[in-house]
Amino acid sequence: MKTQAVSARTYALSYMNRELIDDTIMYQVYGGYIWTPDTTKAVDETRGQVIQYNGRLIDAVYSASNGGITECNANAWDSASVPYLTEKEDIFDPKSVWNFSFHKNQINVSQLNLSKQTEWWTTVKEADTTVSNNIKMWLDVNDYANKEIKVIAIPEFKLHSPGSGGRMSKRNITVEFFVKDILDVNGNLAVQRVVLQNVNISKIRAMLGTRVMLSYLVDKVDTDDRLVKVSGRGDGHGVGMSQWGAKYRADAGKKYEEILKFYYNGISIVTMYDESESIVSSPNGTVPVKQTGWVLENGKWYFLQANGAMATGWLKDKNKWYYLTSSGAMATGWIKDKNKCYYLSTSGAMVMNRQYINGRWHLFHSRGNWLGYI
């Protein structure tokens, strides 16, 4: 967990002052947080630690499984190679196996009246709905936004140009489809085609679906007149750290520093800021500053004063009153203080005047204490 904490922190900080990142495959997928004592401990015990190469933050990319061999960034993304992201065997990665198949012919159009598509459009389905639906989503963001589409065939699918790490780097694919409102001169549905030749495999993986084709490490492709079958290893791009590989290395007793130095060659692990500081963006890059104000920890809000001390009791911030418990956590809902009752909204702000709570109107003093029902 410490390995993941340091990698993710480094990755996020490396983008400060560059661009806004999100939680999709365009950057590093993130499915939402779940607070646990162990994950919190890993973050706290590595607070401020980042990975550097020659004094600069690295691009600390990672994926679930590399299939037993890491990939270099140049092969995966056609980018300039960096010395800390190279190919090497990873004996601790579980070599996750995947496979999928699809029919070359998705819909038998010979049985359809192409001039009366409304009669069958909603009832006729593609042979492989998962793959065809992923292709439709890809088409939606590539020139066919908000169009009703039927994928009728995938007549060509070819992988080629394996890189030095064994992963395929290029691919050809042809997709034929109908768009409900695009007709030929005779009033029949007109076949549309997307033909991609010698394109980076990442583009095709996005078209078929990243949870269909889990990686670029393809072991076998079987094709006949009817069906295409593909099998491979790994889960994700395979560049940098393998999350499963890191777990099994930790299970074998290896320390997080050793694990990071295996996946990122020639790096140093440094402390960029300490427990009393945070990182902010500046014209000169990321800089540590003393942390003050509201802080979210373990799903609870706390307020740090200018001297770094945690506030407790009543606190006025931006003309609103909040109540912080003896542990420093911001309270919500009903509280009792000095024999008077107060109600704190879900944002923590003290309610004044009147408020509708649990099916009844309540009256509050301008100082916040409860006066009674209305």
Side-chain angles (χ1 to χ4, degrees):
M1 290 186 181
K2 290 182 179 179
T3 309
Q4 181 64 60
V6 176
S7 297
R9 181 183 299 118
T10 302
Y11 183 83
L13 290 177
S14 71
Y15 275 88
M16 291 185 72
N17 280 359
R18 285 202 289 162
E19 58 187 279
L20 182 65
I21 63 176
D22 58 32
D23 57 358
T24 70
I25 60 170
M26 295 301 295
Y27 298 94
Q28 292 289 163
V29 172
Y30 178 66
Y33 66 81
I34 300 176
W35 295 106
T36 70
D38 287 341
T39 55
T40 300
K41 183 180 180 182
V43 171
D44 291 343
E45 291 185 355
T46 62
R47 181 173 175 80
Q49 291 184 17
V50 295
I51 310 168
Q52 293 184 347
Y53 184 89
N54 285 344
R56 298 177 64 87
L57 292 172
I58 72 166
D59 189 14
V61 291
Y62 45 86
S63 59
S65 167
N66 58 36
I69 183 169
T70 65
E71 178 63 290
C72 75
N73 67 294
N75 286 344
W77 301 307
D78 287 336
S79 56
S81 62
V82 293
Y84 54 83
L85 296 174
T86 61
E87 306 125 353
K88 64 172 71 173
E89 184 181 7
D90 183 2
I91 62 173
F92 283 91
D93 186 274
K95 302 177 179 63
S96 307
V97 175
W98 54 264
N99 58 76
F100 69 93
S101 64
F102 61 85
H103 294 78
K104 289 185 174 181
N105 187 37
Q106 290 291 307
I107 295 176
N108 184 4
V109 299
S110 65
Q111 305 297 316
L112 302 176
N113 186 335
L114 301 185
S115 65
K116 296 182 179 180
Q117 67 271 33
T118 56
E119 294 180 355
W120 52 263
W121 191 269
T122 58
T123 57
V124 173
K125 307 296 181 183
E126 291 88 352
D128 304 292
T129 55
T130 299
V131 170
S132 60
N133 285 340
N134 288 337
I135 291 173
K136 291 175 189 178
M137 287 189 287
W138 186 89
L139 290 169
D140 185 70
V141 295
N142 288 275
D143 300 328
Y144 292 92
N146 302 316
K147 296 292 186 180
E148 291 190 58
I149 291 172
K150 291 289 184 185
V151 177
I152 58 176
I154 310 171
E156 183 187 18
F157 180 86
K158 181 181 179 182
L159 305 176
H160 57 92
S161 303
S164 52
R167 290 170 171 81
M168 296 296 177
S169 61
K170 302 293 182 181
R171 184 183 294 180
N172 302 345
I173 190 171
T174 299
V175 177
E176 297 178 350
F177 56 99
F178 288 140
V179 179
K180 192 175 183 181
D181 59 359
I182 297 181
L183 309 177
D184 62 19
V185 293
N186 297 316
N188 296 320
L189 286 170
V191 176
Q192 309 298 303
R193 289 181 180 84
V194 169
V195 180
L196 301 178
Q197 297 286 323
N198 201 36
V199 298
N200 189 284
I201 197 169
S202 61
K203 189 171 186 177
I204 308 301
R205 182 174 173 235
M207 175 189 280
L208 295 178
T210 58
R211 303 318 299 162
V212 171
M213 184 177 181
L214 297 190
S215 77
Y216 311 132
L217 189 54
V218 177
D219 293 322
K220 191 176 183 181
V221 178
D222 289 327
T223 304
D224 57 30
D225 292 339
R226 188 177 65 90
L227 203 63
V228 175
K229 298 179 180 179
V230 187
S231 60
R233 288 170 287 135
D235 188 349
H237 49 66
V239 184
M241 184 180 73
S242 162
Q243 292 171 307
W244 279 111
K247 178 190 183 302
Y248 288 124
R249 286 176 183 275
D251 291 345
K254 298 186 182 297
K255 302 299 183 182
Y256 75 97
E257 298 94 338
E258 182 182 359
I259 298 171
L260 289 170
K261 288 178 180 180
F262 171 81
Y263 287 113
Y264 306 111
N265 298 328
I267 54 95
S268 300
I269 302 169
V270 302
T271 300
M272 193 172 184
Y273 54 95
D274 62 29
E275 293 185 358
S276 65
E277 296 175 316
S278 293
I279 286 293
V280 299
S281 177
S282 78
N284 298 316
T286 55
V287 296
V289 297
K290 292 292 181 182
Q291 189 164 349
T292 61
W294 292 105
V295 177
L296 183 64
E297 291 286 348
N298 296 341
K300 296 181 180 180
W301 285 100
Y302 301 82
F303 191 91
L304 298 182
Q305 301 175 90
N307 62 0
M310 186 168 57
T312 58
W314 287 106
L315 168 77
K316 189 175 185 180
D317 181 51
K318 296 180 180 177
N319 293 319
K320 293 182 179 180
W321 283 98
Y322 301 83
Y323 187 83
L324 304 166
T325 65
S326 57
S327 67
M330 183 186 74
T332 58
W334 289 103
I335 66 165
K336 190 172 184 179
D337 182 52
K338 297 179 181 178
N339 295 320
K340 293 183 179 180
C341 292
Y342 302 83
Y343 187 81
L344 307 171
S345 67
T346 54
S347 68
M350 182 181 70
V351 169
M352 294 181 285
N353 301 319
R354 64 175 186 166
Q355 181 73 29
Y356 192 72
I357 304 170
N358 296 332
R360 299 191 69 172
W361 283 101
H362 298 254
L363 183 64
F364 296 87
H365 195 280
S366 58
R367 293 183 179 180
N369 54 291
W370 184 69
L371 298 177
Y373 299 111
I374 300 177

